[in-house]
Amino acid sequence: MVKRYSDHKHLTLFLRSLPDSPGVYLYFDSDDIIIYIGKAINLKKRVRSYFQKERFEQGKLAVLVRKIARIEHIVVNNELDALLLENNLIKEHRPKYNIQLKDDKTFPWICIKNEPFPRVFSTRNTVKDGSEYYGPYASVRMMNNILDLIRQLYRIRSCNLKLTPEHIASGKYKVCLEYHIKNCNAPCVGYETETEYNNTIHDIRQIIKGNITHIIKKLRTMMHQYAGTMQFELAQSLKERLELLEKFRGKSIVVNPKIKDCDTFSFRYDNDTGYVNYLKVVDGAVIQ
């Protein structure tokens, strides 16, 4: 729902009629150019706060408020929808005061770097260099949970060394603290082959995509094999990984165990507005 008002008299009425709902607000200047976009859990409280004299008497915010000639607001269902909509609108319109006030946000991605022995890390900048990017994540906490899980399950490098075959063979690198505390298998000195490392990256890629069931089956098979050959330490290590994965999978919203992988859409529209809902389901769980 969008509302618009054109002068200060109507602006006053507008402030009184704002809903106590989450949403996004857009400030326009006298030339009808968007100068600021913001989000709110409660539109009425947030927008009215800009016009409390004691709060914004000086600085850029005071200049912003004086230039507001018209306001639009869009009501959404929840705080997350407001966050996503705000980000998209800022990217599209690049309002002057969002940039000056450092509000031109960018959501983070998980990157699997296009390089020998790829690193896996979070970034807010995507580069067209052949790297894989997964996201964007509106919830930084969810992204960090995935990265923490990956670090607990696998020993992947965090350094930015150029691990070409020539550099590794030349012996120019030495093992670092990450190897000694068992966070990395030291591919820099040849302790892990590129094939072994890429197998790990394959599993990590599946976890990021939400294909956890396949990884669980694979690890469970390996665990039984190690136990059958009396390699109990390796079997215990895999058992601990399985417990982490099961715990992580338990946080997903299960919709139907009979549903495997599907993309679900619903559509609704009225006279001048259309809506689309999207759910990504993997192994019977909503992952996006």
Side-chain angles (χ1 to χ4, degrees):
M1 182 178 70
V2 176
K3 298 289 185 181
R4 61 179 65 195
Y5 299 87
S6 57
D7 57 39
H8 289 288
K9 180 180 178 181
H10 288 122
L11 188 61
T12 302
L13 295 174
F14 167 67
L15 293 174
R16 293 176 182 172
S17 63
L18 279 167
D20 295 307
S21 306
V24 172
Y25 52 93
L26 301 87
Y27 293 159
F28 293 76
D29 64 11
S30 57
D31 296 320
D32 212 36
I33 295 173
I34 298 175
I35 56 175
Y36 186 76
I37 298 171
K39 69 177 184 305
I41 300 176
N42 185 308
L43 280 166
K44 177 177 287 186
K45 290 182 179 179
R46 180 57 179 162
V47 176
R48 290 181 67 177
S49 71
Y50 280 87
F51 299 89
Q52 296 174 1
K53 184 177 179 181
E54 65 274 10
R55 289 194 61 191
F56 302 116
E57 289 185 327
Q58 298 178 348
K60 293 176 181 177
L61 284 172
V63 176
L64 165 64
V65 172
R66 286 197 295 269
K67 290 187 175 182
I68 296 173
R70 181 167 68 84
I71 301 174
E72 290 186 1
H73 78 274
I74 305 171
V75 174
V76 297
N77 289 328
N78 52 56
E79 182 181 3
L80 179 58
D81 287 347
L83 182 67
L84 292 169
L85 179 58
E86 178 204 34
N87 181 72
N88 290 336
L89 290 174
I90 289 174
K91 295 294 181 299
E92 178 182 354
H93 298 288
R94 302 293 295 174
K96 174 182 178 181
Y97 286 95
N98 284 98
I99 298 170
Q100 290 186 0
L101 297 171
K102 309 301 181 185
D103 287 338
D104 53 335
K105 304 174 184 69
T106 301
F107 288 123
W109 302 70
I110 293 178
C111 174
I112 299 180
K113 193 68 175 176
N114 180 28
E115 61 188 355
F117 301 94
R119 290 168 291 157
V120 181
F121 56 90
S122 65
T123 181
R124 293 181 184 270
N125 299 309
T126 58
V127 180
K128 295 182 179 180
D129 61 354
S131 298
E132 301 172 48
Y133 293 91
Y134 297 90
Y137 289 89
S139 171
V140 177
R141 182 178 181 181
M142 176 181 288
M143 181 197 68
N144 287 334
N145 285 342
I146 294 173
L147 289 173
D148 287 343
L149 174 68
I150 289 169
R151 294 187 189 103
Q152 292 177 68
L153 289 172
Y154 302 104
R155 298 177 182 181
I156 54 175
R157 72 181 182 114
S158 57
C159 65
N160 58 1
L161 300 177
K162 294 183 179 180
L163 299 187
T164 62
E166 296 77 17
H167 286 170
I168 295 172
S170 69
K172 67 180 297 183
Y173 302 128
K174 296 181 180 180
V175 297
C176 66
L177 178 62
E178 290 295 293
Y179 169 75
H180 292 294
I181 61 177
K182 299 182 179 181
N183 285 339
C184 178
N185 287 329
C188 57
V189 295
Y191 289 175
E192 182 176 33
T193 67
E194 192 164 5
T195 298
E196 292 170 336
Y197 193 96
N198 286 338
N199 287 336
T200 293
I201 293 298
H202 175 268
D203 287 354
I204 290 172
R205 188 180 291 114
Q206 298 308 307
I207 290 172
I208 296 173
K209 290 180 178 179
N211 301 328
I212 296 177
T213 300
H214 168 74
I215 305 299
I216 289 175
K217 289 179 180 178
K218 176 183 174 181
L219 293 180
R220 186 170 286 120
T221 299
M222 292 174 62
M223 180 184 69
H224 291 314
Q225 289 174 348
Y226 284 135
T229 57
M230 312 292 281
Q231 300 181 70
F232 297 119
E233 288 187 6
L234 291 174
Q236 178 62 28
S237 175
L238 290 177
K239 181 181 178 182
E240 292 171 359
R241 291 189 191 183
L242 283 167
E243 290 172 351
L244 284 170
L245 282 169
E246 292 285 6
K247 183 178 180 181
F248 180 78
R249 185 171 65 172
K251 295 179 180 178
S252 299
I253 303 171
V254 176
V255 293
N256 190 329
K258 294 182 180 180
I259 299 175
K260 291 301 180 183
D261 303 337
C262 70
D263 295 322
T264 305
F265 297 86
S266 68
F267 304 87
R268 182 178 178 180
Y269 61 90
D270 53 30
N271 294 332
D272 58 359
T273 307
Y275 309 89
V276 179
N277 290 312
Y278 167 65
L279 295 177
K280 182 176 181 64
V281 180
V282 175
D283 289 327
V286 177
I287 66 167
Q288 183 178 341

